[in-house]
């Protein structure tokens, strides 16, 4: 019989900023690719394989003490002579500690904002003015996965990361669930690990609605550090925010 590990999986609530509204800011880019492998979310070298390398470090208000890790944003620069209308979609993998810009992008994501054959030209700008909004993450052919961290020691200590977190959702802590807590970034851990195979119990909320999700038989009894396990669950929920006047607005 599989035992349970619980934590709260929560979409954006009414009390937080309306992420789906369009925001105005500036973005820069990482000049060194190695910076992408040392992000505050704790994804490590795995990050470079996410979203074709279109990654971002976000300011603290978007990083949200780690609960913003894995969130997706559509970003486009405002110089229409240099940049396309579509812009680029990025995944948050790091904390941007420089408040001069809301995001620092991977060079690949930064170049992807440009019109065709203008990628090198936009790099020369260094920093550009942009508009952005949060969008759902889409993993149509990929279930959410649980990666067991190398620091884990079966059966006494378990640290995990959630990968391929779909929809417009966040993972946050709750005093009602004592089994797992956020260690840092996207890493959750517990030193009270039930014996045997493990399944996970999530509360999925989207705005004012919620539902239980059971991810059954996720970790086998002999789970091993460094391994990634399929949760068997896809998350597609989108937060229904009460954020007038941007409700129903179309990004033109």
């Amino acid at each position: 019989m599989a035992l349970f590990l619980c934590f709260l999986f929560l979409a954006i609530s009414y009390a937080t900023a309306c992420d789906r509204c369009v925001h105005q800011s500036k973005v820069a880019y990482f000049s060194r690719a190695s910076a992408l492998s040392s992000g505050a979310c704790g994804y490590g070298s795995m990050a470079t394989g996410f979203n074709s390398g279109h990654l971002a470090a976000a300011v603290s208000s978007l990083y949200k003490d780690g609960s913003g890790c894995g969130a997706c944003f559509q970003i486009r620069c405002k110089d229409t002579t240099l940049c396309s209308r579509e812009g680029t979609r990025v995944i948050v993998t790091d904390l941007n500690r420089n408040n001069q810009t809301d995001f620092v992008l991977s060079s690949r994501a930064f170049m992807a904002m440009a019109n065709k054959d203008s990628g090198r030209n936009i790099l020369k700008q260094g920093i550009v003015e942009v508009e952005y909004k949060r969008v759902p993450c889409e993993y149509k052919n990929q279930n959410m996965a649980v990666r067991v961290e190398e620091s884990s020691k079966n059966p006494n200590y378990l640290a995990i990361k959630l990968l391929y977190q779909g929809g417009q959702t966040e993972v946050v802590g709750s005093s009602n669930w004592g089994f797992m807590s956020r260690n840092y970034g996207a890493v959750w851990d517990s030193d009270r690990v039930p014996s045997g195979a493990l399944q996970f119990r999530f509360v999925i909320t989207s705005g004012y609605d919620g539902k239980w999700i059971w991810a059954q038989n996720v970790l086998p009894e002999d789970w091993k550090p460094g391994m990634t396990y399929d949760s068997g669950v896809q998350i597609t929920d989108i937060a229904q925010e009460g954020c007038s006047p941007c409700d129903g607005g179309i990004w033109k």
Side-chain angles (χ1 to χ4, degrees), residues 43-73:
Y43 294 123
S45 60
M46 297 181 65
T48 57
F50 295 164
N51 196 37
S52 301
H54 292 197
L55 311 175
V59 289
S60 59
S61 60
L62 299 174
Y63 178 77
K64 300 177 182 178
D65 294 324
S67 65
C69 292
C72 295
F73 290 85

